[in-house]
């Protein structure tokens, strides 16, 4: 009577099915459309694929960012019980080894004969500077030879992941002194090794024999003074040669016999770690990361950073020439920690990204379709849609007229 059966349509498809939980439909916030009354299009398929690829790209970005983690820096008053400080030195001075005197004196008055604790080996200056050593030398405050990436290299050594990786792959020993070619006499002295000193302000001196501290013995002739030097390594704490310090690979040359190189160093105890501590302790200025271990491990490195300045100049022959390092230990502790969010937080972020892209893309696609129908974008306005409906309509089109003709 209503024409549904005549056209092969099922009236039950337009009604709601009965069930025991029919009352719950009142709270349904997700209206559904039967697949019979939905139409798929090529443009919709392209849009869906584009949104899925964009969601995948953003999700991979979030995963990579979560895997890298984020770094936090925390300053606190050092509360350690360490009373000694290891000094690591590897330098080449353009003088004979027997003509050099090395010692350390700290603020407590203790004097260490560093010459007896450090190794001295004769070498050729050209092997370290003029030869193909693969080192990028620089002067303090200048750019490295051959490139301008000195600051970038030092910046890399401030990140936890890079520091832990370099320490894990690198050696914990000083490199061997290059062998002298046959018939070549040494014209320089390599001084290298590690020594223990008090963890207080101090001075590290390299002077000529018979000059500097009062001592017995012949004075070196002034014409033999030449404090041109190359610093391969200068660090405090455990030896990590793979890490780049401000004075590493520093070259300083002078033609003057009476010349004083004065370096001022400000040393800051530093911890690089991947062991996170509570956010409350890290955000509080009066607390320290007491949960951190007190020794180095595969995920924690205890070391010292320092800043360096220089005031090198020629001096009269009434003063003492040489190479002087004045270091001061700062009473603070810098903790650089790499933390990573929880896996649940990552899942929530990915769900938000994917849902946001799909919902936003759906709105844009709906507006685009509305514009095509109403405004006529792409030549598909209301007039074109009505004509196509008349030509190919199921309920009001040509099919219905043909059926009525057959009945007559």
């Amino acid at each position: 009577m209503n024409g549904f059966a005549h056209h092969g349509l099922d009236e039950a498809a337009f009604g709601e099915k009965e069930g025991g939980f029919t009352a719950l439909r009142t709270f349904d916030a997700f209206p559904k459309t039967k697949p019979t009354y939905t139409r798929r299009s090529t443009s919709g398929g392209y849009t869906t694929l584009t949104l899925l690829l964009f969601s995948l790209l953003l999700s991979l970005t979030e995963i990579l960012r979560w895997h890298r983690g984020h770094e936090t820096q925390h300053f606190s008053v050092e509360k350690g019980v360490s009373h000694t400080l290891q000094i690591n030195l590897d330098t080449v001075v353009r003088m004979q080894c027997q003509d050099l005197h090395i010692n350390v004196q700290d603020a407590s008055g203790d004097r260490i004969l560093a010459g007896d604790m450090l190794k001295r080996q004769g070498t050729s200056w050209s092997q370290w500077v003029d030869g193909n050593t693969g080192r990028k030398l620089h002067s303090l405050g200048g750019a490295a030879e051959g490139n301008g990436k000195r600051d970038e290299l030092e910046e890399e050594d401030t990140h936890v992941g890079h520091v832990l990786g370099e320490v894990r792959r690198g050696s914990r020993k000083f490199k061997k002194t290059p062998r002298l070619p046959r018939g070549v006499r040494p014209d320089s002295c390599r001084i290298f090794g590690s020594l223990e000193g008090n963890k207080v302000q101090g001075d590290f001196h390299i002077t000529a024999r018979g000059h500097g501290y009062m001592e017995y013995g012949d004075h070196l002739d002034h014409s033999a003074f030449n404090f041109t030097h190359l610093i391969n390594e200068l660090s405090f704490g455990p030896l990590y040669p793979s890490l780049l310090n401000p004075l590493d690979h520093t070259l300083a040359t002078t033609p003057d016999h009476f010349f004083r190189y004065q370096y001022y160093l400000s040393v800051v105890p530093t911890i690089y770690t991947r062991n996170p501590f509570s956010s409350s302790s890290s955000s509080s200025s009066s607390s320290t990361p007491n949960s951190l271990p007190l020794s180095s491990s595969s995920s924690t490195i205890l070391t010292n950073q320092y800043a360096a300045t220089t005031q090198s100049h020629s001096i009269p022959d009434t003063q003492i020439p040489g190479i002087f390092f004045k270091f001061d230990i700062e009473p603070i502790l810098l903790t650089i920690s790499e933390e990573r969010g929880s896996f649940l937080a990552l899942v929530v972020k990915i769900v938000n990204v994917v849902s946001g892209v799909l919902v936003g893309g759906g709105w844009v696609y709906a507006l685009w379709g509305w514009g095509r129908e109403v405004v006529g974008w792409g030549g598909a306005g209301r007039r074109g849609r009505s004509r196509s409906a008349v030509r190919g309509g199921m309920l009001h089109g040509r099919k219905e007229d043909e059926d009525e003709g057959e009945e007559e």
Side-chain angles (χ1 to χ4, degrees), residues 24-32:
L24 294 177
R25 296 173 183 173
T26 307
F27 305 98
D28 188 2
F30 306 98
K32 289 87 176 171

Side-chain angles (χ1 to χ4, degrees), residues 128-148:
W128 297 91
V129 178
D130 302 331
N132 185 17
T133 60
R135 300 178 179 87
K136 296 179 175 58
L137 307 180
H138 81 118
S139 58
L140 189 60
E145 293 182 359
N147 62 16

